[in-house]
Amino acid sequence: MSQLFQLSNLLVMPFWVLMIALPNWSWSRRIMASTLVVVPIALLYSSLVIPNFAALLPLLANPQLDIIAGLLSTPSGATTAWIHFLAFDLWTGRWVYSDSQQVGIPTWLTSLCLVCVFMVGPFGLLVYILVRRWHRGSFAV
């Protein structure tokens, strides 16, 4: 599991580097325009979940804190959850990157938001939403 955990980090890191460190490079824009960037990490996640789907479905359909805590407290459970985070954080980062270019948010500000998404996903998304609304001059709901 430890090697799979490390591999999962390596699968997403190049995309984060492109979005954060090289946001204006033509290849960054070309690569990140594709939804396929999340396919490798989604496939890795799927390879862990599908073989266990029948056993997981009842546990996830009626989640109980102690059962979920037990699942996540194992190396297999923690690795699967980590890959889940990586996949959705990458998808969210890709959206932030693309959306910020469409609405004209400065790349330095977008990069700060992307670092937040990379490190603490949902909080980073919230930061970006606030930056986007500020940039548009509207904090109205």
Side-chain angles (χ1 to χ4, degrees):
M1 262 317 126
S2 179
Q3 289 176 332
L4 199 54
F5 182 87
Q6 295 304 325
L7 171 66
S8 67
N9 292 308
L10 293 175
L11 282 176
V12 300
M13 195 56 66
F15 303 115
W16 286 105
V17 170
L18 290 176
M19 292 187 291
I20 294 169
L22 303 166
N24 294 319
W25 186 37
S26 62
W27 279 98
S28 296
R29 289 180 183 206
R30 208 172 290 155
I31 291 166
M32 296 315 298
S34 174
T35 56
L36 297 178
V37 298
V38 299
V39 168
I41 195 72
L43 284 172
L44 180 59
Y45 177 78
S46 298
S47 74
L48 296 173
V49 171
I50 290 172
N52 300 302
F53 192 71
L56 288 172
L57 187 58
L59 304 175
L60 299 175
N62 183 24
Q64 302 294 319
L65 180 58
D66 57 335
I67 293 171
I68 299 300
L71 285 172
L72 296 177
S73 69
T74 67
S76 177
T79 298
T80 302
W82 182 249
I83 294 170
H84 182 280
F85 298 154
L86 291 176
F88 275 92
D89 288 352
L90 180 59
W91 182 260
T92 303
R94 184 191 160 278
W95 177 78
V96 166
Y97 175 80
S98 298
D99 184 72
S100 68
Q101 291 179 344
Q102 289 176 351
V103 298
I105 296 173
T107 54
W108 68 269
L109 190 51
T110 300
S111 290
L112 292 175
C113 293
L114 285 168
V115 167
C116 290
V117 172
F118 177 63
M119 299 301 285
V120 283
F123 174 71
L125 177 60
L126 176 62
V127 168
Y128 177 70
I129 289 168
L130 293 174
V131 164
R132 189 180 195 275
R133 294 193 74 70
W134 168 78
H135 178 75
R136 292 179 61 175
S138 170
F139 279 103
V141 176

